[in-house]
Amino acid sequence: MHKSITHINILPAFLLALGLASIGFLLHSAIVQFKAMDRTVTVKGLAEQQVPADTAIWPIAFTEAGDKLDDVMAAVEKKQAAVVAFLKLHGFNDEEISLGQVAVVDKKAQQYGPEQVGLRYLVTANMSVYSQDPEKVRHASSQISELAKQGIAVSGDSYSNRIEYLFTSLNDLKPQMIEQATHNAREVATKFAHDSQSTLGKIKSARQGQFSISSRDSNSPHLKKVRVVSTIEYYLVD
């Protein structure tokens, strides 16, 4: 009778120990697997592409001076018509040409200034060209001396009067550039995995950087450099 009771008491203890051992093994496996999943490598993939600008904004300004405002304004209107004729001769239409504000300065009305003011009125006329044909703008601006021969001195040296070249078709480039950046990042990650005697696993996380558009160089503002950097984290597998 005593031996039977002892046998009954040992069996549950054995089963309990076996269960605890199994749980311990499973926990150990889970911890090892979790540690393995923690092994990652983070790399950056760069994609760059050079493209021509697809839009140009050309500010045009000239100044007229005189003592009689009516005469000055008449001269400004005449010169504006001459500039428009010049632009149309180079292929621009009415939709591309805009007449801006005309600024008038009366030197004698200035509160502070020298007594000898020279010509009283200084009138600056502003115009602009907005075109989706930058090459046409480049060609016309290179012929600006034709206006100088007509007595129209177009301001072009100041920052505000420089031609601005834009690239507006970024959305067309995004898919292929993101693909290129991702491919470059994977190449770097694969090399790292090989050097560390590991195998590259799946992507853990990915962050696409901002696209940037800049001039290729200061002498070629009509050529643009589009750039994006993607940051990707991969798992490493033994």
Side-chain angles (χ1 to χ4, degrees), residues 57-129:
I57 303 173
W58 181 14
I60 301 173
F62 61 86
T63 302
E64 186 72 15
D67 287 321
K68 293 184 178 181
L69 185 57
D70 289 345
D71 292 343
V72 176
M73 294 303 297
V76 167
E77 291 177 1
K78 183 178 179 180
K79 289 184 176 181
Q80 280 181 327
V83 173
V84 171
F86 165 81
L87 293 173
K88 289 189 174 181
L89 183 65
H90 286 83
F92 297 100
N93 56 44
D94 290 332
E95 288 73 22
E96 295 173 297
I97 303 169
S98 299
L99 299 181
Q101 68 176 18
V102 175
V104 180
V105 175
D106 183 353
K107 294 182 180 179
K108 286 189 177 181
Q110 301 291 321
Q111 186 174 1
Y112 303 101
E115 294 183 3
Q116 301 296 326
V117 294
L119 297 175
R120 177 175 178 176
Y121 296 104
L122 190 66
V123 179
T124 301
N126 294 281
M127 307 171 64
S128 66
V129 174

Side-chain angles (χ1 to χ4, degrees), residues 7 41 55 62 69 80 86-87 120 187-188 191 216:
H7 177 74
V41 57
T55 303
F62 61 86
L69 185 57
Q80 280 181 327
F86 165 81
L87 293 173
R120 177 175 178 176
E187 284 188 341
V188 175
K191 179 67 166 57
R216 188 190 67 177

Side-chain angles (χ1 to χ4, degrees), residues 96-236:
E96 295 173 297
I97 303 169
S98 299
L99 299 181
Q101 68 176 18
V102 175
V104 180
V105 175
D106 183 353
K107 294 182 180 179
K108 286 189 177 181
Q110 301 291 321
Q111 186 174 1
Y112 303 101
E115 294 183 3
Q116 301 296 326
V117 294
L119 297 175
R120 177 175 178 176
Y121 296 104
L122 190 66
V123 179
T124 301
N126 294 281
M127 307 171 64
S128 66
V129 174
Y130 183 93
S131 176
Q132 294 181 330
D133 190 346
E135 285 303 311
K136 187 167 62 176
V137 171
R138 292 185 66 214
H139 175 72
S141 62
S142 69
Q143 305 297 316
I144 202 71
S145 59
E146 295 176 14
L147 290 175
K149 294 176 182 178
Q150 301 178 52
I152 305 172
V154 175
S155 303
D157 295 334
S158 65
Y159 180 80
S160 60
N161 289 322
R162 292 179 182 176
I163 300 174
E164 184 179 5
Y165 293 97
L166 308 172
F167 178 71
T168 63
S169 303
L170 179 59
N171 286 338
D172 296 336
L173 292 182
K174 279 184 175 181
Q176 65 188 62
M177 291 194 67
I178 293 173
E179 181 181 355
Q180 180 185 350
T182 303
H183 176 75
N184 292 342
R186 188 169 187 86
E187 284 188 341
V188 175
T190 300
K191 179 67 166 57
F192 181 90
H194 179 268
D195 292 344
S196 63
Q197 297 182 346
S198 300
T199 301
L200 195 65
K202 296 181 178 180
I203 293 177
K204 179 180 180 182
S205 64
R207 297 187 301 277
Q208 176 196 311
Q210 290 187 342
F211 280 83
S212 64
I213 303 175
S214 59
S215 297
R216 188 190 67 177
D217 55 70
S218 58
N219 295 320
S220 306
H222 60 289
L223 297 176
K224 299 300 179 181
K225 182 173 65 175
V226 184
R227 188 175 189 269
V228 66
V229 177
S230 295
T231 303
I232 303 178
E233 185 178 10
Y234 290 93
Y235 288 112
L236 293 176

Side-chain angles (χ1 to χ4, degrees), residues 34-70:
F34 179 77
K35 293 287 187 181
M37 295 294 282
D38 265 350
R39 296 183 61 241
T40 62
V41 57
T42 302
V43 294
K44 294 182 182 295
L46 169 66
E48 282 186 341
Q49 191 165 336
Q50 180 177 300
V51 294
D54 56 24
T55 303
I57 303 173
W58 181 14
I60 301 173
F62 61 86
T63 302
E64 186 72 15
D67 287 321
K68 293 184 178 181
L69 185 57
D70 289 345

